[in-house]
Amino acid sequence: MTLETAVDDGAVSVLADGALLARYDAEPAGSKPGFDTLALPPEADTKPGENLVVSSPHDHPWHFGLFFCQKLVDGVNCWESEPNAAAGKPHGYAEAGKFEVREGSDGGAVIEQAATWRTDAGEDLLGDARTVRIGEPDEEGYLLTWEQEVEALGQRRHLSSETLHGHYSGLSLRFARSLREGRVLLPDGTDPGETSPPRAASGPAARWCDYSGPLDGWPEAATVGDPWSAGIAMFDHPDNGDGPVNWFVMDEPFGFLAANPTWGTVETLAEGESRSWTWGLWVHAGTPDEERVERAYESFVDSG
């Protein structure tokens, strides 16, 4: 199933058989580019077309569906840009640059974009280059690969994430509201630990993390509490670092998942030095077991 793309008002829509599969807001009104739609494929048995993420929810309008953000750069908060701007407080944000959309060699879609992270006072902090690849879907789901690079601008930069409210940073997912209180699955029987509130999140380290939860809208559910389900598994590429990434994961009051490479540490980049990561996401129907997620993870690693 070859994907088609369309660009309208700075947003890139990726379609499968004419149905919206994903949409990337490359020229956002908010502080960061990201995906406001990651939908189940048209051939899915479970609610095809259902969007599994929410962008700019009323409780946290700075959550942009699927997005990348280095929370702190030299102590400058690049995460809660909107409330800090409204309060007249210093903050950082991503100035979106040019983007390109093309067909992938495998029939999928590729989005490339540059951005500059800067302060509200106009100081450039980080260069940002990302390449996102969306693979052809099947009846179960599809793979999205996100290659992310940041470069220190102007001087040495310090990347971190620890604040009073928790270690959320990195490649981040805000799940649709119906997916709250979902199942968190990690490989090898790893315990996800605390998943709420955000300051108590345990940050387990693992090569992947799957979040699956309930979907509304199935009148044929056999019993109350037996709904449709779907989710997204996020993969950490083995070339990203010395060990697996730490996962910031919440299941209430909403579902949230982030691959945070600066959990519990400060990464220092000399001026002009860059750091890159590759992450994968498997958007899927149903609630897969560990063996199935592991196969999807292996496919992600082999695809690189």
Side-chain angles (χ1 to χ4, degrees):
M1 183 188 303
T2 301
L3 300 180
E4 298 178 345
T5 58
V7 179
D8 182 39
D9 197 24
V12 181
S13 295
V14 180
L15 303 101
D17 284 350
L20 182 63
L21 192 68
R23 184 169 56 216
Y24 178 76
D25 193 356
E27 296 177 350
S31 59
K32 305 161 188 71
F35 283 87
D36 65 9
T37 303
L38 291 177
L40 291 174
E43 295 183 355
D45 292 335
T46 302
K47 216 172 182 186
E50 180 77 356
N51 186 12
L52 302 187
V53 301
V54 61
S55 183
S56 297
H58 65 79
D59 51 77
H60 290 73
W62 52 94
H63 291 175
F64 295 102
L66 169 64
F67 62 100
F68 173 82
C69 178
Q70 180 57 51
K71 182 178 180 180
L72 299 175
V73 183
D74 289 352
V76 176
N77 187 336
C78 297
W79 187 275
E80 286 99 353
S81 308
E82 279 70 16
N84 283 329
K89 296 180 179 179
H91 61 278
Y93 67 98
E95 180 72 31
K98 293 181 180 180
F99 66 95
E100 178 184 347
V101 183
R102 56 184 170 83
E103 182 178 337
S105 58
D106 58 355
V110 180
I111 303 169
E112 296 179 324
Q113 187 173 28
T116 302
W117 293 87
R118 58 171 51 106
T119 70
D120 60 302
E123 180 186 1
D124 290 350
L125 299 171
L126 296 174
D128 177 309
R130 75 265 308 264
T131 300
V132 182
R133 307 175 193 279
I134 303 168
E136 294 181 306
D138 57 24
E139 68 280 356
E140 203 172 6
Y142 56 94
L143 177 67
L144 182 153
T145 300
W146 187 302
E147 300 169 7
Q148 178 69 48
E149 180 180 73
V150 296
E151 178 188 355
L153 300 179
Q155 63 184 51
R156 179 185 294 112
R157 299 298 180 186
H158 305 87
L159 316 183
S160 62
S161 62
E162 185 171 5
T163 65
L164 173 65
H165 300 292
H167 281 279
Y168 37 89
S169 186
L171 188 63
S172 304
L173 270 170
R174 171 67 189 262
F175 287 96
R177 294 192 182 278
S178 73
L179 292 171
R180 66 184 296 266
E181 298 183 352
R183 182 213 62 179
V184 179
L185 181 67
L186 296 154
D188 308 320
T190 302
D191 183 356
E194 293 294 329
T195 54
S196 184
R199 65 172 58 92
S202 299
R207 60 186 175 273
W208 54 258
C209 182
D210 179 79
Y211 185 102
S212 298
L215 296 177
D216 296 324
W218 189 21
E220 299 177 10
T223 61
V224 174
D226 181 29
W228 277 323
S229 66
I232 299 175
M234 193 179 290
F235 305 140
D236 183 46
H237 198 281
D239 291 342
N240 282 346
D242 296 332
V245 75
N246 291 89
W247 301 99
F248 176 88
V249 57
M250 292 175 55
D251 62 355
E252 58 176 340
F254 50 79
F256 198 93
L257 177 61
N260 181 3
T262 57
W263 184 291
T265 188
V266 176
E267 177 137 2
T268 301
L269 299 178
E271 180 182 0
E273 184 181 3
S274 62
R275 180 75 164 86
S276 60
W277 305 275
T278 299
W279 292 295
L281 295 93
W282 179 44
V283 181
H284 61 77
T287 303
D289 60 19
E290 181 175 340
E291 180 182 357
R292 180 65 189 92
V293 181
E294 184 67 27
R295 292 204 313 270
Y297 169 78
E298 291 171 355
S299 295
F300 156 68
V301 174
D302 291 343
S303 69

